[in-house]
Every structure is written in C-alpha cells, then in structure tokens.
Amino acid sequence: MDKISDTDSKIISILRFPLAVMIVVLHSMNVENINVNIPWELHNVPFEIAMFDILRVLFSRVLGHIVVPAFMVISGYLFFVKFKKWDWLLYKKKIQSRINTLFIPYVLWNIIPILITILWLHHANLISDYLNEIWNKGILNIFWSYRGGDNVSFGEFHIFTIGFPFNVPLWFLRDLIIFTLISPLIYIAIRKAFLSILLILLLWSLNGGNADINALIWFYIGAGLSIKNISLSNHRPILRNIIVLLFILSGSLKLFTFHEGNMLLWEKIVNLLSIMSGIYIVFMIASCTKLQVSDNYKKYIASSSFLIYVFHMELLWRSHMFLKLVFANATNKAWQAFAVYLISVLTTIVGLLIINYILVKYFPKSNYILTANR
C-alpha cells in the first residue's frame, strides 16, 4: 500500500480512544481476581450476582477480548504502509522511528511503575524488600518476563516459556518490537504463502499457542491487508450480514459458557471466531460513522490512548482498593461489586484524560518523551 487512505486514517483516529477505554474495562475484571464460572453461577448463586457477572463478562471478556487483537491488526497494517515491494532503506527508517515510538516508551513505562511503587511504600524496610525482590528476579526481566510464565508449545512439543514484563500490559509493546524486527520474514511469508502460514499460526494458537502467538496472528493479518492493498473499510454487504450473525452466535456462546482457566478446543475455536468477527464489526462501525474527527479530539482525546494503555493499571487497582473501602458497609453485595467495577473504570479514564491534557498543553516535551506523541 502506497499510503494510508483518508477513510482508514479516520477509522484509526476514531477507534484509538474507545479501544483504549475497553482495555481498562478488560483489565478491571483482572484486578478483582475473582473466579467466574457463568454456567455454574446460573444455577447456584442469587440472580443479582449472576446477572452482574454476565454483564462483567460481556464487557470485559466478550467485547474486551476484541481490543488487543484490533490494536495489533492496526499496528501490522500501519507498519507495512508504503511497502509496494521490500525496501531495506524503508525498513531502516521504520525501525529508527520505532525506537522513539516503541522502544524508549517501553523502557520508561516499565521503570515508572517501579518508582511510583517505591514512593507508595515510603518505608525503608518495605522499599528494601521490594528492591531485593526485583534484584532476585533479574533486572533485565523487568523488560522481558518478570511476572508469571506461559508455556508455548505446538501440540506436545514444548518450544519456550515466556511471562510478562513488570508493567504487565506492555507485553503488547514487547511483542510489537519483536514483530517489527522480524518484519522482513513476515513480508516474505505474506508474499509467498499468506494463507498457508496463517493456517499454521491458527493451528498453533489452538494447539499450545499463547497470547504472544495470538498477537502474531493479528499483526500478520493486519500486515497482509496492508501489503495486499486491502482497506480497513472494505466491507461487502453480504459478508457483513454473515459476520454480524457469526459474532452474535459466537459471542453469546462464549458469554454463557465462560469460565476462568484453560479452554477446551471447541471453546478456543468459539473465542477465535468471536474475536475475528468482532474486529470486523469494529472496523465496519468506525467506517460507517458520520462523525468528523476534530483537531481537538485528536490532540486531547485520541492522543490519550497511549497513556491510558501504559498507565491505567497503576490508577485502576488503587481506585479499586479505595472504592472497596468506600462501599465496605453496603448491604447489597451485588450492587457494591457493580459500583466498584464501574466507578473504578470511570475514575481511571477521567484521571488519565486530565493527566494527558496537562502533558499535551503544558509539558509537550515531556509528553513526547513519555508517549512519543502516539
């Protein structure tokens, strides 16, 4: 694709903020760390609690699981703009720009939460224990695999184990850095055997793949659209109706069979279909909207998406802790949980919009360092 079209540029501008908001919604369920099992709850818990969990799963899991793949499709799509054929000079320029837009923010936003936590602890012994923990896990693991460990295999064959960086949501940036580095291989794969490689990746995802393999799939699809000159707004009417129906069916099945933990093969397939059809619908809605994207929206709202992404967990869990104390004496536990879930998301988003506004308006140089004006 020679350049991004005005329509595709509008789609991306419109989607940046709402997708960032949905990342907060996605992780608001992680903060609570409650084991949800919808089929069991429908028969064993009070109606109000079951309905709250259904709503929470709908927004945080059925809709929320669309968000990161959609961002990865956009990232793959944008990286390969201007690649009519492979060009090492263009590749070099893309890598140089990604140092500012990916690598430097990635390093900074894995360190900033550590500094904030040190200030939060404000007691010498607690700070010492905290720094010892980081030292024992390995300084470099802050940027690679500090938390958890996810085994990646293909069938029964174990390939590698990888966890999350210190700032957990930044696994997306870590993977994006890797994908940009191996983009020559991705370009060759798309040019020579796009569908065959995609099928292999999908089979890997269903048989031992993890979030990183899934991320590669979505980046690969976005790259394929760009290289093959297919617009994000390319939605055929007949296909549109089929995909909307597919999302309704797969999303509903995912919702009412949702449980925490490992998924069975058929659940993985349903999840994949729900995400694929969901991404299509998200792009379709954005392309059909008549809203005009103003300069102020781009400057103060859309630009907040990166800050929301890299910093939301710090505000979200603290907001969640505070609200649980505020509603501690509530008699209706279902409504208490709903209030904490909803208000923690709203306070996080509003807080980060205010911080972004201050950075953009009064500290543009600092904002460029922290977010590269993404």
Side-chain angles (χ1 to χ4, degrees):
M1 180 171 287
D2 292 337
K3 66 177 183 178
I4 187 169
S5 68
D6 291 340
T7 303
D8 287 347
S9 179
K10 177 186 174 183
I11 288 172
I12 294 169
S13 294
I14 289 173
L15 288 178
R16 286 179 65 192
F17 178 68
L19 288 179
V21 169
M22 287 306 297
I23 285 182
V24 182
V25 175
L26 166 68
H27 289 151
S28 65
M29 193 165 163
N30 298 39
V31 169
E32 294 180 78
N33 197 27
I34 298 174
N35 188 19
V36 175
N37 187 320
I38 297 299
W40 182 86
E41 288 187 24
L42 288 173
H43 298 93
N44 295 280
V45 302
F47 175 78
E48 283 185 337
I49 295 176
M51 288 307 299
F52 164 66
D53 279 343
I54 287 172
L55 286 173
R56 189 169 56 161
V57 170
L58 172 63
F59 288 106
S60 292
R61 293 296 180 259
V62 178
L63 300 179
H65 279 174
I66 297 169
V67 179
V68 173
F71 268 128
M72 196 57 85
V73 169
I74 292 171
S75 298
Y77 187 80
L78 290 176
F79 185 85
F80 283 95
V81 169
K82 297 183 180 180
F83 274 98
K84 293 177 65 176
K85 61 180 181 178
W86 185 253
D87 185 334
W88 285 105
L89 182 61
L90 180 57
Y91 171 73
K92 182 180 177 182
K93 290 180 179 177
K94 295 264 187 178
I95 294 298
Q96 287 173 339
S97 71
R98 265 56 180 185
I99 291 174
N100 291 327
T101 61
L102 292 179
F103 182 74
I104 293 175
Y106 179 73
V107 172
L108 286 175
W109 285 106
N110 271 300
I111 294 173
I112 289 171
I114 295 175
L115 300 178
I116 291 173
T117 303
I118 290 172
L119 293 174
W120 180 268
L121 294 173
H122 69 264
H123 189 283
N125 290 337
L126 293 176
I127 293 172
S128 178
D129 292 342
Y130 180 65
L131 293 176
N132 283 335
E133 176 189 320
I134 293 173
W135 179 261
N136 291 333
K137 287 190 175 183
I139 299 297
L140 291 180
N141 271 332
I142 291 171
F143 309 105
W144 181 251
S145 186
Y146 185 84
R147 304 180 191 276
D150 202 0
N151 292 324
V152 180
S153 59
F154 196 103
E156 299 298 321
F157 181 67
H158 179 265
I159 301 175
F160 60 88
T161 300
I162 189 169
F164 298 96
F166 185 90
N167 189 350
V168 173
L170 267 62
W171 70 268
F172 175 94
L173 280 189
R174 178 196 63 194
D175 286 7
L176 201 52
I177 291 168
I178 295 170
F179 299 158
T180 57
L181 291 174
I182 65 169
S183 57
L185 298 177
I186 293 174
Y187 181 88
I188 293 171
I190 290 169
R191 282 297 190 196
K192 300 294 184 182
F194 174 67
L195 292 178
S196 298
I197 299 299
L198 178 59
L199 179 60
I200 291 171
L201 290 173
L202 289 171
L203 290 173
W204 191 357
S205 172
L206 297 173
N207 292 274
N210 69 338
D212 306 285
I213 302 304
N214 292 332
L216 177 57
I217 290 172
W218 304 118
F219 184 88
Y220 183 82
I221 290 173
L225 293 175
S226 186
I227 291 170
K228 293 180 178 296
N229 204 28
I230 300 173
S231 171
L232 296 176
S233 59
N234 185 7
H235 307 292
R236 298 177 182 177
I238 297 177
L239 187 61
R240 179 189 308 170
N241 296 334
I242 294 172
I243 291 180
V244 169
L245 179 61
L246 177 62
F247 176 72
I248 292 171
L249 294 174
S250 59
S252 299
L253 187 56
K254 178 178 177 178
L255 173 61
F256 289 104
T257 61
F258 180 83
H259 60 88
E260 303 288 358
N262 295 329
M263 290 187 287
L264 300 173
L265 178 59
W266 72 266
E267 292 173 318
K268 292 181 181 179
I269 294 171
V270 168
N271 181 57
L272 188 62
L273 291 174
S274 174
I275 293 172
M276 275 189 170
S277 55
I279 292 172
Y280 182 96
I281 291 170
V282 164
F283 289 150
M284 181 184 72
I285 292 172
S287 66
C288 293
T289 183
K290 301 300 182 182
L291 292 174
Q292 296 298 317
V293 181
S294 67
D295 290 339
N296 280 336
Y297 176 86
K298 290 180 181 178
K299 186 175 182 179
Y300 296 114
I301 306 298
S303 68
S304 69
S305 61
F306 187 77
L307 184 65
I308 291 172
Y309 160 63
V310 296
F311 199 43
H312 70 276
M313 287 301 289
E314 292 298 315
L315 273 67
L316 185 62
W317 75 264
R318 288 176 172 86
S319 176
H320 192 270
M321 287 174 57
F322 174 75
L323 288 167
K324 287 192 78 171
L325 292 174
V326 170
F327 293 103
N329 296 323
T331 55
N332 190 314
K333 296 301 180 184
W335 284 106
Q336 174 207 29
F338 182 78
V340 172
Y341 173 79
L342 180 62
I343 298 173
S344 62
V345 171
L346 293 176
T347 53
T348 299
I349 296 300
V350 171
L352 288 169
L353 280 172
I354 292 170
I355 293 171
N356 184 71
Y357 178 85
I358 293 170
L359 284 172
V360 170
K361 191 169 183 66
Y362 300 107
F363 304 99
K365 291 184 179 179
S366 298
N367 182 58
Y368 180 79
I369 294 171
L370 293 171
T371 69
N373 287 343
R374 287 175 66 89

